[in-house]
RNA sequence: GCCGAUGUAGCUCAGACGGUAGAGCAGCUGAUUCGUAAUCAGCAGGUCAGCGGUUCGAUCCCGCUCAUCGGCUCCA
């Protein structure tokens, strides 16, 4: 006879669960009125259990709150169960697979002969609301593997059967979750009952490989999102809408920065004047900063003989992603990376330890044959320019070089207005190179991070095949993460190209090579910048910093003169002298997110001044041209 | 590459059981000369993504291709 225990649910409601056999995991919160953490008074068998250990049957019940990440994740995961039930209720013949919570919501993967449509999603949502309204308890039951197996075999749930069969042999029992007759294989934990499900929305259907393996069958994945409260859901949907408005593909067209044209080819960016100017501003900044930090600027050719790519190992490891061509019946590879010419520069003479470190910097344009399905605006393209550098140094210099790069990244992120996170990726499965080299390189990277007192996460086995790496992920205004800077340690290429330097001892030694980028691909970085600033770039980056706006035609002569004076003063300025009302021209400049609008009317013509209006709507009153130029320069120097 | 959806004017989108298409904004022309987010009027604008098939006739139905969008896989 199972002992039964009474649990207090949020809102004071009582629920009874059997200890051991049936245990509901408790989610507190979820009640709109409760903002503070809610404590559930419940113990099961008196055993406290870590919720991360979800196979433990004697679960209990630490207070969880839907406003904490764990609580929200449990809520969403429970929603995915309810969705699965709703789908199976509405569409007979659907097989379920798995349905976890994810960063912004949840999903569940289904196999079904028909394709789910947006109308189907509404139907499923409706059924979910019914299940939620019925306030059905989630009940946990432990059964033997065999029992579970026969249950799901009988139901024809082949994916569940596969999951059970693939459990490690020492697992003797599995847990089931049931809601009023509906049973699913799951580790839990879940909310106590479906009544806590209030705020959710199904968002989209997409294909997804079973178990994430492209050799497997593709299932239909339904994505949804959910929150403890309607307000939180509304806020999330608002952020999604905001992200849509900031989409760099949309703003790129509206601000006339670039185009992606299918006549030109997929993944090939055509930069319009303003976009090209923005890029140029960034590139000029890069050159200046690299020279300041002791880098040498170099330039290599776009194509190199195929033999060279064979020697570097790219032909073996990267051929699928390379473009090839032929010149005078000789095969050539179009560069997907910039390292090779840098190696040849190093090899062009005998190097002494006194020459090291050598830092070769190239704004290198590369071509990579990315699969058609992965192309995305400026974020994933087939031709792009990296702010690439290769540093050749002695093993002893590794630490200080890596630290300097990390500092450079931090400086750059500050200048462009981003926060960032750091990840260290270690040796992958099929890597090349000796254990000793990997050890040295990994220690060097990790040591430099520690010496710089940086916090970082470790991604085991996520490094490049030739060496470990540090990745920097920047965070934009909407908290989305983007890969930008990376530092990769490489012993292989110096080996393959037989690079050496003459040491203090007069002997030949092998240098180490660091591959690194700071902003990464300029294309992607511009895309991220556009979305981060929603197109309203800081003054120093704005392709057009000011627009001269005349009130009527008779003010054009002074307007022209102002524009000329500003151009001479180094300001990126345009004139809008069209026969339109002032309000119309202000609106247009505003939509274009131009930092300054200089209104020229009777007053300004008489006093030979300008009246700047900032894009935030503030008017600065009438000031002299010289003062305005000084103002702009000062802001630009401070990267404002 | 895979699953699904989509492709109509520069942009956002209507539309016709198969009989070669519209609206707003943008553009152009004219009027207007105006003080900080949209002045009025007129005009022009389209191989309905491309190629092939079915049909008396295809932008619409079918097939292929290309591209885009949402994901998956990939990003050494």
């Amino acid at each position: 006879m199972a002992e039964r225990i009474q649990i207090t649910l949020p809102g004071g409601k009582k629920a009874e669960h059997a200890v051991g056999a049936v245990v509901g995991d408790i989610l507190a919160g979820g009640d709109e009125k409760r903002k503070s953490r809610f404590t559930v008074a419940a113990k099961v068998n008196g055993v406290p259990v870590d919720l991360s250990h979800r196979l433990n049957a004697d679960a209990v019940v630490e207070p969880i709150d839907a406003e904490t990440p764990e609580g929200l994740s449990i809520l969403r995961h429970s929603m995915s169960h309810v969705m699965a039930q709703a789908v199976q209720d509405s569409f007979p013949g659907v097989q379920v697979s798995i349905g976890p919570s994810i960063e912004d919501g949840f999903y569940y993967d289904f196999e079904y002969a028909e394709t789910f449509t947006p109308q189907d999603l509404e139907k499923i949502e409706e059924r979910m609301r019914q299940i939620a309204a019925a306030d059905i308890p989630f009940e946990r039951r432990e059964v033997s593997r065999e029992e579970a197996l026969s249950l799901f075999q009988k139901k024809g749930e082949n994916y569940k059967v596969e999951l059970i069969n693939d459990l490690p042999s020492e697992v003797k029992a599995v847990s089931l979750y049931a809601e009023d007759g509906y049973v699913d294989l799951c580790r839990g934990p879940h909310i106590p009952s479906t009544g806590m499900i209030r705020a959710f929305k199904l968002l989209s259907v997409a294909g997804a490989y079973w178990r994430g393996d492209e050799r497997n069958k593709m299932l239909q994945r339904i994505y949804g999102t959910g929150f403890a409260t309607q307000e939180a859901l509304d806020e999330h949907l608002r952020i999604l809408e905001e992200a849509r408005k900031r989409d760099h593909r949309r703003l790129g067209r509206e601000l006339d920065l670039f185009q992606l044209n299918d006549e030109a080819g997929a993944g090939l960016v055509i930069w319009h004047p303003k976009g090209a100017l923005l890029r140029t501003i960034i590139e000029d900044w890069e050159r200046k900063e690299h020279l300041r930090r002791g880098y040498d600027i170099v330039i290599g050719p776009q194509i190199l003989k195929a033999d060279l790519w064979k020697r570097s190992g790219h032909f073996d490891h990267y051929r699928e992603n390379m473009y090839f061509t032929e010149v005078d019946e000789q095969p050539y590879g179009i560069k997907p990376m910039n390292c090779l010419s840098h190696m040849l520069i190093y090899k062009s003479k005998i190097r002494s330890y006194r020459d090291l470190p050598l830092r070769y910097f190239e704004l290198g344009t590369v071509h990579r044959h990315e699969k058609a399905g992965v192309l995305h605006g400026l974020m994933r393209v087939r031709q792009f320019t990296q702010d690439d550098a290769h540093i050749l140094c002695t093993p002893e210099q590794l630490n200080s070089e890596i630290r300097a790069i990390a500092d450079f990244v931090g400086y750059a992120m500050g200048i462009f207005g981003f926060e960032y996170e750091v990840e260290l990726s270690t040796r992958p499965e099929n890597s090349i190179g000796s254990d000793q080299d990997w050890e040295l390189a990994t220690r060097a990277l990790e040591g430099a991070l520690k010496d710089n007192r940086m916090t970082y996460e470790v991604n085991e086995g996520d490094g490049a095949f030739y060496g470990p790496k540090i990745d920097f992920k920047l965070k934009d205004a909407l908290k989305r993460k983007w890969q930008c800077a990376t530092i990769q340690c490489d012993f292989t290429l110096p080996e393959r190209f037989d690079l050496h330097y003459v040491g203090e001892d007069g002997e030949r030694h092998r240098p180490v090579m660091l591959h690194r980028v700071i902003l990464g691909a300029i294309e992607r970085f511009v895309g991220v910048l556009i979305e981060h600033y929603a197109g309203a770039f800081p003054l120093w980056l704005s392709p057009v910093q000011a627009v001269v706006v005349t009130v009527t035609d008779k003010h054009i002569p002074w307007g022209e003169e102002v524009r000329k004076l500003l151009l001479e003063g180094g300001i990126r300025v345009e004139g809008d002298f069209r026969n339109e009302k002032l309000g119309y021209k202000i609106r247009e400049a505003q939509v274009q997110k131009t930092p300054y609008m200089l209104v020229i009317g009777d007053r300004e013509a008489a006093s030979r001044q300008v009246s700047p209006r900032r894009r935030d709507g503030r008017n600065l009153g009438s000031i002299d041209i010289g003062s305005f130029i000084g103002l702009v320069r000062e802001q630009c120097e401070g990267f404002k």
Side-chain angles (χ1 to χ4, degrees), chain A residues 398-399 402-403 424-426 438-451 456 467-470 487-489 514:
Chain A
L398 264 181
N399 180 273
I402 295 165
R403 291 181 64 181
L424 175 69
S425 297
T426 59
W438 274 93
E439 177 67 24
L440 177 63
T442 309
R443 268 214 317 270
L445 290 172
E446 189 150 31
L449 287 177
K450 284 187 173 142
D451 291 346
Y456 60 94
K469 60 177 183 172
I470 299 173
I487 308 172
Q488 303 179 359
C489 208
L514 290 172

Side-chain angles (χ1 to χ4, degrees), chain A residues 41-220:
Chain A
K43 277 204 169 177
V44 179
N45 286 1
V47 185
V49 171
D50 179 1
L51 279 168
S52 63
H53 184 216
R54 294 173 180 184
L55 265 177
N56 192 315
D58 299 330
V60 177
V61 200
E62 291 296 309
I64 308 168
D65 187 314
E67 285 174 24
T68 65
E70 304 80 31
L72 189 54
S73 160
I74 290 168
L75 176 65
R76 286 169 171 172
H77 171 66
S78 303
M79 286 175 175
S80 84
H81 273 285
V82 171
M83 175 167 80
Q85 183 182 351
V87 168
Q88 291 199 310
D89 285 353
S90 312
F91 302 90
V94 171
Q95 278 193 57
V96 293
S97 63
I98 54 165
S101 75
I102 51 174
E103 183 157 0
D104 284 322
F106 60 88
Y107 67 78
Y108 210 118
D109 287 347
F110 303 97
E111 186 189 323
Y112 187 48
E114 317 266 318
T115 299
F116 294 122
T117 65
Q119 293 74 39
D120 292 340
L121 293 191
E122 285 170 27
K123 189 171 160 191
I124 295 162
E125 276 186 358
E126 185 47 45
R127 177 69 190 126
M128 285 175 73
R129 272 189 285 273
Q130 288 169 5
I131 297 169
D135 199 14
I136 303 160
F138 273 90
E139 295 201 334
R140 180 183 178 118
R141 186 152 52 93
E142 281 219 354
V143 298
S144 66
R145 287 176 77 118
E146 294 70 29
E147 195 179 329
L149 212 48
S150 83
L151 175 70
F152 287 105
Q153 268 164 352
K154 232 176 278 170
K155 285 170 60 128
E157 296 287 4
N158 301 331
Y159 295 98
K160 293 293 182 189
V161 168
E162 188 179 329
L163 287 173
I164 296 167
N165 280 329
D166 285 358
L167 287 170
S169 56
E170 61 269 23
V171 176
K172 301 290 181 223
V174 300
S175 55
L176 303 177
Y177 271 87
E179 318 149 42
D180 194 29
Y182 178 81
V183 179
D184 199 351
L185 172 76
C186 188
R187 292 184 298 187
H190 301 103
I191 53 177
S193 85
T194 60
M196 294 176 96
I197 291 175
R198 285 163 200 165
F200 67 91
K201 186 167 175 60
L202 303 188
L203 299 172
S204 60
V205 187
Y209 298 108
W210 166 236
R211 296 194 149 178
D213 189 327
E214 63 182 327
R215 288 164 303 190
N216 287 343
K217 189 173 170 72
M218 192 158 254
L219 306 175
Q220 293 189 68

Side-chain angles (χ1 to χ4, degrees), chain A residues 476-506:
Chain A
D476 72 14
L478 295 173
K479 306 287 173 214
R480 292 171 301 185
K481 289 183 208 167
W482 302 94
Q483 162 89 51
C484 57
T486 175
I487 308 172
Q488 303 179 359
C489 208
D490 184 2
F491 294 90
T492 309
L493 275 183
E495 185 82 34
R496 287 184 178 233
F497 280 82
D498 193 27
L499 302 189
H500 52 260
Y501 63 91
V502 179
E504 249 175 305
D505 55 5

Side-chain angles (χ1 to χ4, degrees), chain A residues 361-431:
Chain A
F361 170 68
E362 175 170 6
L363 281 164
T365 299
V366 297
H367 292 76
R368 297 184 186 178
H369 182 241
E370 302 289 356
K371 289 177 178 178
V374 306
L375 301 175
H376 178 87
L378 293 180
M379 303 307 195
R380 197 84 179 267
V381 291
R382 285 179 171 158
Q383 180 194 298
F384 57 98
T385 300
Q386 298 175 296
D387 57 342
D388 203 3
H390 294 92
I391 296 170
L392 291 136
C393 63
T394 67
E396 295 72 39
Q397 291 167 333
L398 264 181
N399 180 273
S400 61
E401 287 304 308
I402 295 165
R403 291 181 64 181
I405 297 166
D407 286 340
F408 192 174
V409 174
Y411 175 78
M413 291 303 108
I415 291 296
F416 287 96
F418 292 108
E419 292 179 357
Y420 62 98
E421 289 174 0
V422 185
E423 291 173 10
L424 175 69
S425 297
T426 59
R427 188 171 192 172
E429 292 277 320
N430 48 0
S431 56

